[in-house]
PDB file of all heavy atoms in Angstrom:
ATOM      1  N   CYS A 333     -63.083 -97.302 252.744  1.00 98.00           N
ATOM      2  CA  CYS A 333     -63.176 -97.510 254.131  1.00 98.00           C
ATOM      3  C   CYS A 333     -63.686 -96.418 254.861  1.00 98.00           C
ATOM      4  O   CYS A 333     -63.061 -95.336 254.668  1.00 98.00           O
ATOM      5  CB  CYS A 333     -61.923 -98.044 254.657  1.00 98.00           C
ATOM      6  SG  CYS A 333     -61.898 -98.476 256.476  1.00 98.00           S
ATOM      7  N   PRO A 334     -64.767 -96.390 255.750  1.00 98.00           N
ATOM      8  CA  PRO A 334     -65.194 -95.204 256.450  1.00 98.00           C
ATOM      9  C   PRO A 334     -64.104 -94.632 257.320  1.00 98.00           C
ATOM     10  O   PRO A 334     -64.224 -93.403 257.630  1.00 98.00           O
ATOM     11  CB  PRO A 334     -66.366 -95.830 257.258  1.00 98.00           C
ATOM     12  CG  PRO A 334     -66.768 -97.058 256.592  1.00 98.00           C
ATOM     13  CD  PRO A 334     -65.531 -97.671 255.896  1.00 98.00           C
ATOM     14  N   HIS A 335     -63.022 -95.354 257.684  1.00 98.00           N
ATOM     15  CA  HIS A 335     -62.050 -94.740 258.524  1.00 98.00           C
ATOM     16  C   HIS A 335     -61.222 -93.672 257.750  1.00 98.00           C
ATOM     17  O   HIS A 335     -61.380 -92.606 257.971  1.00 98.00           O
ATOM     18  CB  HIS A 335     -61.134 -95.818 259.028  1.00 98.00           C
ATOM     19  CG  HIS A 335     -59.997 -95.379 259.941  1.00 98.00           C
ATOM     20  ND1 HIS A 335     -58.745 -96.035 259.822  1.00 98.00           N
ATOM     21  CD2 HIS A 335     -59.852 -94.279 260.746  1.00 98.00           C
ATOM     22  CE1 HIS A 335     -57.871 -95.344 260.773  1.00 98.00           C
ATOM     23  NE2 HIS A 335     -58.689 -94.200 261.235  1.00 98.00           N
ATOM     24  N   ARG A 336     -60.414 -94.218 256.874  1.00 98.00           N
ATOM     25  CA  ARG A 336     -59.462 -93.206 256.075  1.00 98.00           C
ATOM     26  C   ARG A 336     -59.622 -93.247 254.618  1.00 98.00           C
ATOM     27  O   ARG A 336     -58.845 -92.819 253.906  1.00 98.00           O
ATOM     28  CB  ARG A 336     -58.184 -93.366 256.574  1.00 98.00           C
ATOM     29  CG  ARG A 336     -58.082 -92.786 258.124  1.00 98.00           C
ATOM     30  CD  ARG A 336     -57.365 -91.516 258.216  1.00 98.00           C
ATOM     31  NE  ARG A 336     -55.930 -91.630 257.708  1.00 98.00           N
ATOM     32  CZ  ARG A 336     -54.897 -92.027 258.467  1.00 98.00           C
ATOM     33  NH1 ARG A 336     -55.121 -92.415 259.686  1.00 98.00           N
ATOM     34  NH2 ARG A 336     -53.780 -92.061 257.904  1.00 98.00           N
ATOM     35  N   GLY A 337     -60.591 -94.105 254.036  1.00 98.00           N
ATOM     36  CA  GLY A 337     -60.831 -94.207 252.675  1.00 98.00           C
ATOM     37  C   GLY A 337     -60.076 -95.339 251.962  1.00 98.00           C
ATOM     38  O   GLY A 337     -60.135 -95.263 250.782  1.00 98.00           O
ATOM     39  N   PHE A 338     -59.457 -96.193 252.582  1.00 98.00           N
ATOM     40  CA  PHE A 338     -58.652 -97.200 251.966  1.00 98.00           C
ATOM     41  C   PHE A 338     -59.692 -98.137 251.148  1.00 98.00           C
ATOM     42  O   PHE A 338     -60.743 -98.380 251.542  1.00 98.00           O
ATOM     43  CB  PHE A 338     -57.831 -98.087 252.816  1.00 98.00           C
ATOM     44  CG  PHE A 338     -56.794 -98.929 252.083  1.00 98.00           C
ATOM     45  CD1 PHE A 338     -55.578 -98.470 251.795  1.00 98.00           C
ATOM     46  CD2 PHE A 338     -57.174-100.277 251.731  1.00 98.00           C
ATOM     47  CE1 PHE A 338     -54.606 -99.255 251.187  1.00 98.00           C
ATOM     48  CE2 PHE A 338     -56.199-101.001 251.122  1.00 98.00           C
ATOM     49  CZ  PHE A 338     -54.974-100.507 250.801  1.00 98.00           C
ATOM     50  N   LEU A 340     -61.648-100.938 250.282  1.00 98.00           N
ATOM     51  CA  LEU A 340     -61.907-102.265 250.980  1.00 98.00           C
ATOM     52  C   LEU A 340     -61.785-103.529 250.097  1.00 98.00           C
ATOM     53  O   LEU A 340     -61.489-104.616 250.748  1.00 98.00           O
ATOM     54  CB  LEU A 340     -63.305-102.148 251.548  1.00 98.00           C
ATOM     55  CG  LEU A 340     -63.381-101.312 252.880  1.00 98.00           C
ATOM     56  CD1 LEU A 340     -64.880-101.280 253.297  1.00 98.00           C
ATOM     57  CD2 LEU A 340     -62.588-101.757 254.053  1.00 98.00           C
ATOM     58  N   CYS A 352     -60.133-104.257 256.685  1.00 98.00           N
ATOM     59  CA  CYS A 352     -59.360-103.353 255.915  1.00 98.00           C
ATOM     60  C   CYS A 352     -57.850-103.566 256.235  1.00 98.00           C
ATOM     61  O   CYS A 352     -57.465-103.586 257.399  1.00 98.00           O
ATOM     62  CB  CYS A 352     -59.855-101.931 256.308  1.00 98.00           C
ATOM     63  SG  CYS A 352     -58.926-100.677 255.486  1.00 98.00           S
ATOM     64  N   PRO A 353     -57.040-103.643 255.102  1.00 97.00           N
ATOM     65  CA  PRO A 353     -55.590-103.920 255.331  1.00 97.00           C
ATOM     66  C   PRO A 353     -54.783-102.716 255.906  1.00 97.00           C
ATOM     67  O   PRO A 353     -53.702-102.802 256.203  1.00 97.00           O
ATOM     68  CB  PRO A 353     -55.233-104.211 253.979  1.00 97.00           C
ATOM     69  CG  PRO A 353     -56.074-103.747 252.968  1.00 97.00           C
ATOM     70  CD  PRO A 353     -57.433-103.502 253.667  1.00 97.00           C
ATOM     71  N   TYR A 354     -55.513-101.477 256.033  1.00 98.00           N
ATOM     72  CA  TYR A 354     -54.685-100.345 256.461  1.00 98.00           C
ATOM     73  C   TYR A 354     -54.506-100.323 257.972  1.00 98.00           C
ATOM     74  O   TYR A 354     -53.451-100.354 258.488  1.00 98.00           O
ATOM     75  CB  TYR A 354     -55.324 -99.094 255.901  1.00 98.00           C
ATOM     76  CG  TYR A 354     -54.513 -97.803 255.943  1.00 98.00           C
ATOM     77  CD1 TYR A 354     -55.020 -96.594 255.422  1.00 98.00           C
ATOM     78  CD2 TYR A 354     -53.283 -97.775 256.462  1.00 98.00           C
ATOM     79  CE1 TYR A 354     -54.384 -95.408 255.362  1.00 98.00           C
ATOM     80  CE2 TYR A 354     -52.468 -96.555 256.359  1.00 98.00           C
ATOM     81  CZ  TYR A 354     -52.999 -95.496 255.950  1.00 98.00           C
ATOM     82  OH  TYR A 354     -52.256 -94.350 255.942  1.00 98.00           O
ATOM     83  N   HIS A 355     -55.633-100.320 258.744  1.00 98.00           N
ATOM     84  CA  HIS A 355     -55.565-100.345 260.217  1.00 98.00           C
ATOM     85  C   HIS A 355     -56.278-101.467 260.815  1.00 98.00           C
ATOM     86  O   HIS A 355     -56.514-101.447 262.004  1.00 98.00           O
ATOM     87  CB  HIS A 355     -56.068 -98.996 260.698  1.00 98.00           C
ATOM     88  CG  HIS A 355     -55.533 -97.693 260.057  1.00 98.00           C
ATOM     89  ND1 HIS A 355     -56.132 -97.153 258.980  1.00 98.00           N
ATOM     90  CD2 HIS A 355     -54.339 -97.120 260.237  1.00 98.00           C
ATOM     91  CE1 HIS A 355     -55.407 -96.115 258.606  1.00 98.00           C
ATOM     92  NE2 HIS A 355     -54.293 -96.139 259.263  1.00 98.00           N
ATOM     93  N   GLY A 356     -56.705-102.353 260.057  1.00 98.00           N
ATOM     94  CA  GLY A 356     -57.468-103.562 260.534  1.00 98.00           C
ATOM     95  C   GLY A 356     -58.769-103.484 261.045  1.00 98.00           C
ATOM     96  O   GLY A 356     -59.245-104.324 261.733  1.00 98.00           O
ATOM     97  N   TRP A 357     -59.519-102.369 260.696  1.00 98.00           N
ATOM     98  CA  TRP A 357     -60.878-102.298 261.099  1.00 98.00           C
ATOM     99  C   TRP A 357     -61.669-103.305 260.309  1.00 98.00           C
ATOM    100  O   TRP A 357     -61.484-103.579 259.174  1.00 98.00           O
ATOM    101  CB  TRP A 357     -61.554-100.912 260.888  1.00 98.00           C
ATOM    102  CG  TRP A 357     -60.871 -99.870 261.668  1.00 98.00           C
ATOM    103  CD1 TRP A 357     -59.619 -99.841 262.204  1.00 98.00           C
ATOM    104  CD2 TRP A 357     -61.439 -98.579 261.970  1.00 98.00           C
ATOM    105  NE1 TRP A 357     -59.455 -98.652 263.007  1.00 98.00           N
ATOM    106  CE2 TRP A 357     -60.535 -97.869 262.819  1.00 98.00           C
ATOM    107  CE3 TRP A 357     -62.774 -97.931 261.778  1.00 98.00           C
ATOM    108  CZ2 TRP A 357     -60.728 -96.558 263.334  1.00 98.00           C
ATOM    109  CZ3 TRP A 357     -62.864 -96.752 262.304  1.00 98.00           C
ATOM    110  CH2 TRP A 357     -61.995 -96.050 263.037  1.00 98.00           C
ATOM    111  N   TRP A 359     -65.369-105.062 258.963  1.00 98.00           N
ATOM    112  CA  TRP A 359     -66.792-104.644 258.618  1.00 98.00           C
ATOM    113  C   TRP A 359     -67.626-105.839 258.285  1.00 98.00           C
ATOM    114  O   TRP A 359     -67.294-106.645 257.456  1.00 98.00           O
ATOM    115  CB  TRP A 359     -66.633-103.716 257.270  1.00 98.00           C
ATOM    116  CG  TRP A 359     -65.695-102.606 257.537  1.00 98.00           C
ATOM    117  CD1 TRP A 359     -64.371-102.464 257.240  1.00 98.00           C
ATOM    118  CD2 TRP A 359     -65.986-101.412 258.243  1.00 98.00           C
ATOM    119  NE1 TRP A 359     -63.873-101.354 257.602  1.00 98.00           N
ATOM    120  CE2 TRP A 359     -64.865-100.530 258.342  1.00 98.00           C
ATOM    121  CE3 TRP A 359     -67.159-100.851 258.845  1.00 98.00           C
ATOM    122  CZ2 TRP A 359     -64.779 -99.341 258.831  1.00 98.00           C
ATOM    123  CZ3 TRP A 359     -67.148 -99.584 259.472  1.00 98.00           C
ATOM    124  CH2 TRP A 359     -65.886 -98.902 259.448  1.00 98.00           C
TER     125      TRP A 359
HETATM  126  S1  LIG B1395     -58.499 -96.887 256.340  1.00 66.59           S
HETATM  127 FE1  LIG B1395     -59.449 -98.686 256.651  1.00 66.59          FE
HETATM  128  S2  LIG B1395     -58.920 -99.136 258.635  1.00 66.59           S
HETATM  129 FE2  LIG B1395     -58.136 -97.272 258.334  1.00 66.59          FE
END
Side-chain angles (χ1 to χ4, degrees):
C333 178
H335 178 215
R336 295 254 295 280
F338 193 86
L340 284 176
C352 179
Y354 196 175
H355 309 95
W357 294 25
W359 305 97

